Amino acid sequence: MNEHRRKFIQGTGTAGALGVSLAAGLLPTRAFAAWNKGAFSATSLPAVEKLLGIAGAANSNQITINAPDIAEDARIVQIEVSSTLPNVQSIKLVVDKNPDPLAADFTLENGMEPYVTTRIKMKETSMVRAFVTSGGRTYTAAKQVKVTIGGCGG
Amino acid sequence: MGNIRIRAVMNGGYADIKCLMLHPEDTGLVKNKATGKLIPAHFITNVTATVNGKTVLSAQWGIAISKNPFLAFRVKGAKAGDKLVISWVDNLGESASGTATIAAS
């Protein structure tokens, strides 16, 4: 088998896989939960807490937020949340001073470690909060991230 | 649009998964400087990840997620050769999926 034929076969395989993933992409609704428009549109921390039923969450030193003290670029602030709490079911990320404070809500199952990292935009200096639900109870931790130039105004 | 770059490698007892999705993540709060009009909101609302067909992660995202979203997570009990699928859908109904095979460490 010559080199060209080999490459052609590999190329065909790639196109096939792409076709399958595109086809899968046409049927997304079954796999995705409804988007919590109310909570994601809420404009204050108390409103988010109320809508998500996480008001009064106890502070926990078993939650670690790894984020910069000062954001170099407020459009790209990397936030890592991990926890040593058992049976973590969800991790929520809230930025108090953002226009829409709720940034992300992760549901974990089937062996997911209590660890997520993502990058967010921040409008101004704010507390960044993680809410971790473990065994049906929600715990929280917070870290301040300083912003010198906002990430929401372009 | 539609492209998801995935890196999935075993690290001890868990699969270390990192992915980058190509998406503008427009908040709907920023003005186009040339026209003075708001750039309409266009952002990913839901992300799911499955390993061998089992959902491990389902995320809902708001407008705060950065352009070209980055996501990293870890799956215990996964093993080299397992098939990972990551999919997203956005507020305009656009969607994409990416697949990867978890590599040995």
Side-chain angles (χ1 to χ4, degrees), chain B residues 15-99:
Chain B
D16 193 17
I17 296 158
K18 294 185 171 80
C19 67
L20 202 57
M21 308 165 198
L22 294 182
H23 200 281
E25 290 294 311
D26 289 315
T27 62
L29 305 172
V30 178
K31 274 184 186 166
N32 177 327
K33 279 171 187 154
T35 64
K37 288 186 177 166
L38 286 175
I39 299 164
H42 187 197
F43 59 97
I44 292 173
T45 54
N46 297 73
V47 181
T48 60
T50 64
V51 174
N52 288 347
K54 269 192 180 175
T55 301
V56 291
L57 177 67
S58 24
Q60 295 182 48
W61 283 356
I63 59 172
I65 300 296
S66 300
K67 179 179 178 177
N68 296 333
F70 172 80
L71 176 64
F73 55 98
R74 296 168 177 169
V75 183
K76 202 161 61 181
K79 54 192 186 304
D82 283 356
K83 192 184 172 199
L84 170 73
V85 180
I86 296 173
S87 311
W88 58 252
V89 63
D90 69 24
N91 67 316
L92 302 182
E94 292 171 9
S95 61
S97 285
T99 61

Side-chain angles (χ1 to χ4, degrees), chain A residues 56-142:
Chain A
N59 286 317
S60 172
N61 58 12
Q62 290 183 273
I63 301 169
T64 303
I65 300 174
N66 192 353
D69 295 328
I70 300 172
E72 281 180 32
D73 182 344
R75 294 170 301 176
I76 311 167
V77 185
Q78 184 155 317
I79 312 286
E80 175 190 296
V81 179
S82 60
S83 177
T84 54
L85 289 162
N87 306 316
V88 171
Q89 297 150 301
S90 74
I91 297 175
K92 296 168 172 63
L93 209 53
V94 180
V95 182
D96 293 15
K97 298 282 184 67
N98 266 3
D100 296 351
L102 179 59
D105 186 351
F106 298 93
T107 300
L108 285 49
E109 55 190 320
N110 291 318
M112 264 286 292
E113 292 271 337
Y115 164 93
V116 287
T117 298
T118 191
R119 293 173 187 155
I120 61 167
K121 294 176 278 226
M122 290 182 66
K123 189 180 184 213
E124 57 189 283
T125 297
S126 174
M127 296 304 283
V128 173
R129 296 177 198 277
F131 291 88
V132 175
T133 301
S134 153
R137 284 193 172 188
T138 301
Y139 303 87
T140 188

Side-chain angles (χ1 to χ4, degrees), chain A residues 22-80:
Chain A
L22 284 174
L26 291 172
L27 307 163
T29 43
R30 236 167 7 123
F32 295 106
W35 188 63
N36 192 339
K37 188 174 181 185
F40 280 102
S41 308
T43 55
S44 72
L45 173 67
V48 168
E49 287 178 324
K50 194 179 170 195
L51 285 161
L52 293 177
I54 55 173
N59 286 317
S60 172
N61 58 12
Q62 290 183 273
I63 301 169
T64 303
I65 300 174
N66 192 353
D69 295 328
I70 300 172
E72 281 180 32
D73 182 344
R75 294 170 301 176
I76 311 167
V77 185
Q78 184 155 317
I79 312 286
E80 175 190 296

